[in-house]
Amino acid sequence: MKRFFGACVAALLATAVPAAAQSFDWKSQNGQTINLMFNNHPWSQAMRDLVKDFQAKTGITARVEIFNEEQYRARLQTLMQGKSADMDVFMSLTSREGAIFNRAGWYADLAPMIKNASQTAPDFNYEDFGASIRAASTFGQQVVAIPINQEGPLFYWRKDLFEKCKVAEPKFLEELATAAAALKKCDANQGVWAARGIRSITPYALAGFVYNSGGSFMTPDGKPGMEQPNTMKGLELYATMLRDYGPPGALNHTFTQITELLGQGRVAMTHESSNEFANITRFPNRANDLGVKVLPPGKDSGVSKPVAIGWTVAISANSKRQQAAWLFLQWATSREVQTKLVNNGVAPPRASVFQGEEFNAWTKEMPIRKAWADALIELGKTGTGVYQTNTDRVPEARDIIGGAMQAIYQGKSPAEAAKTADAELAKLQ
């Protein structure tokens, strides 16, 4: 009997120890210091202010560095190629570079951490992120990053200027040029249009013009398809809008210049990221006089196919503090933090936030917020994260596609520009 009782106690202890070990504790890495490197983005700007809450919750010191995108990518490459352990957490656009980074072994695998009850908060709920967003950061069984937002380019237009000049709101893609001409005729001193012109980042905004025109970057059998008639139609419309109605130096413009131009009232229309919504509406009057929606569909094609992507945060495979870094990822992508980030114009990738009372109350405060939220829902339903040809060398492919647009802007025929681009794109397959 005594032996039996002892065996029972031993069995109870055997089950009790793992249960205690499995309990999650936000303070488990108290005293650690982690280094976070971010691209300049509304999310990272907000995070710089909020990170003190993470430090108070975990006892972990978090050092934040933010760089403009070109500098950010150069520094990230230097650190990762040198297998530096100095950086623990970084932002990644997995729809762009995920395959290459994963093949290079730059990402820590988050899947085992997500499954480990002692490492992951009980209310983290990874399934709360949309399936398509999760898929963009999953390679085989490996989860390489957690989404921090959802975004895509949207059509912004000045309702007051359209009304003053008696110009109708464009309902179809082909009406953009008509509206631009009418606005220019109404007031020659008013800027009309602005959009991205730097070749590597142009496809993000250009893709809607191509898709809505009925085009595609690939042929049905997966080869480069820039020479397809409807693809060239979209390319030409984007280039001529920029050349005939855009500001001086448009080929050197990225989202920062475009946001300033629209915010300051110097242009009447643009097709720019949903992420810039908060920055644009901070300017006087823009929250009241702007309209925002997904780029109008093609009149002939009937197609509306916007770009929809999301930035993520990842843990470096070289980090020596991956447990502390994982706590940061959980906190930064939690429902609580994402609800706060809405005020900074960061669209939440968690369904529970998008459908929550706080988000609904925020959108009801201003009509333009409701319009922005409706546009994001449409992005989620109809958008695509693919806006290049079939290759893992995504940045190079997008650079070539943007180069074709620039060539048309500078006077080359769409057929010549597309033929050159297809030949270069074929080398990447």
Side-chain angles (χ1 to χ4, degrees):
M1 183 67 184
K2 188 174 181 180
R3 183 178 297 173
F4 174 74
F5 179 75
C8 289
V9 170
L12 285 170
L13 287 173
T15 55
V17 171
Q22 285 180 359
S23 62
F24 173 79
D25 182 4
W26 281 106
K27 293 284 188 182
S28 64
Q29 303 296 313
N30 185 20
Q32 294 261 26
T33 297
I34 56 174
N35 297 313
L36 321 174
M37 196 173 84
F38 300 146
N39 172 42
N40 189 13
H41 184 280
W43 180 87
S44 50
Q45 294 294 343
M47 201 51 54
R48 196 202 306 261
D49 297 329
L50 289 174
V51 77
K52 62 181 183 302
D53 296 344
F54 168 73
Q55 296 178 158
K57 188 180 185 77
T58 62
I60 298 170
T61 299
R63 297 191 292 220
V64 179
E65 284 187 296
I66 301 176
F67 299 92
N68 288 327
E69 187 158 353
E70 190 173 340
Q71 294 174 304
Y72 172 76
R73 293 193 179 284
R75 180 160 173 74
L76 180 64
Q77 186 168 350
T78 300
L79 291 173
M80 297 307 288
Q81 288 182 341
K83 299 188 182 304
S84 171
D86 291 342
M87 179 189 64
D88 300 293
V89 173
F90 62 99
M91 285 173 67
S92 180
L93 194 56
T94 50
S95 61
R96 174 185 183 273
E97 64 249 7
I100 294 175
F101 284 14
N102 186 55
R103 195 179 307 123
W106 289 7
Y107 297 119
D109 185 7
L110 307 181
M113 302 184 201
I114 294 171
K115 293 174 184 172
N116 190 323
S118 68
Q119 296 177 10
T120 299
D123 60 352
F124 178 65
N125 190 11
Y126 182 54
E127 307 297 317
D128 194 24
F129 298 96
S132 61
I133 297 176
R134 281 184 278 130
S137 299
T138 303
F139 298 90
Q141 300 300 312
Q142 188 176 0
V143 177
V144 302
I146 302 295
I148 58 173
N149 79 324
Q150 59 170 320
E151 64 170 270
L154 297 176
F155 176 61
Y156 297 85
W157 79 102
R158 285 277 302 278
K159 289 181 172 179
D160 58 324
L161 294 177
F162 274 68
E163 187 175 342
K164 185 185 87 174
C165 294
K166 301 187 185 315
V167 177
E169 171 192 331
K171 301 292 186 186
F172 297 101
L173 180 68
E174 293 84 348
E175 293 174 356
L176 292 184
T178 308
L183 289 166
K184 193 171 184 179
K185 184 178 180 181
C186 171
D187 184 353
N189 295 318
Q190 172 63 52
V192 174
W193 175 257
R196 298 182 181 204
I198 295 176
R199 54 188 286 162
S200 61
I201 59 170
T202 289
Y204 174 79
L206 163 67
F209 284 68
V210 169
Y211 288 135
N212 291 9
S213 296
S216 171
F217 297 104
M218 292 179 279
T219 61
D221 59 354
K223 295 178 181 174
M226 300 291 285
E227 293 177 85
Q228 298 173 107
N230 287 337
T231 305
M232 290 192 289
K233 182 180 172 184
L235 272 174
E236 184 175 20
L237 177 58
Y238 190 96
T240 54
M241 283 288 292
L242 206 56
R243 183 184 63 211
D244 297 346
Y245 303 108
L251 293 188
N252 296 316
H253 283 181
T254 181
F255 65 91
T256 51
Q257 290 87 14
I258 295 159
T259 298
E260 288 288 316
L261 287 167
L262 184 64
Q264 293 171 4
R266 292 161 59 193
V267 296
M269 296 183 284
T270 187
H271 188 223
E272 189 44 75
S273 174
S274 57
N275 279 343
E276 295 306 307
F277 175 76
N279 290 330
I280 292 168
T281 53
R282 283 195 187 101
F283 286 89
N285 301 321
R286 294 297 86 84
N288 298 317
D289 61 26
L290 274 180
V292 59
K293 63 180 182 180
V294 169
L295 188 71
K299 190 170 188 177
D300 298 331
S301 69
V303 173
S304 175
K305 187 177 178 181
V307 164
I309 59 172
W311 278 90
T312 68
V313 276
I315 297 175
S316 167
N318 302 313
S319 169
K320 305 298 184 191
R321 298 165 288 269
Q322 293 190 1
Q323 294 305 312
W326 174 233
L327 288 175
F328 173 79
L329 263 61
Q330 291 181 70
W331 169 83
T333 62
S334 65
R335 187 184 188 284
E336 177 188 1
V337 172
Q338 291 202 344
T339 300
K340 292 179 181 177
L341 289 171
V342 169
N343 289 322
N344 295 82
V346 178
R350 279 186 178 274
S352 63
V353 179
F354 221 109
Q355 298 161 358
E357 291 181 9
E358 301 96 332
F359 187 75
N360 287 333
W362 181 80
T363 59
K364 287 177 181 176
E365 290 176 358
M366 289 185 186
I368 193 170
R369 289 179 179 172
K370 179 67 166 57
W372 178 73
D374 289 345
L376 286 166
I377 291 171
E378 189 170 342
L379 286 181
K381 289 179 179 175
T382 62
T384 175
V386 178
Y387 46 103
Q388 73 285 325
T389 47
N390 188 21
T391 176
D392 284 349
R393 295 162 69 177
V394 174
E396 294 169 78
R398 291 180 183 171
D399 192 66
I400 292 169
I401 292 166
M405 187 286 297
Q406 285 194 344
I408 298 169
Y409 176 102
Q410 292 165 334
K412 216 171 194 178
S413 74
E416 287 179 291
K419 184 177 181 180
T420 301
D422 273 347
E424 293 176 5
L425 289 165
K427 297 174 185 174
L428 302 182
Q429 291 192 314

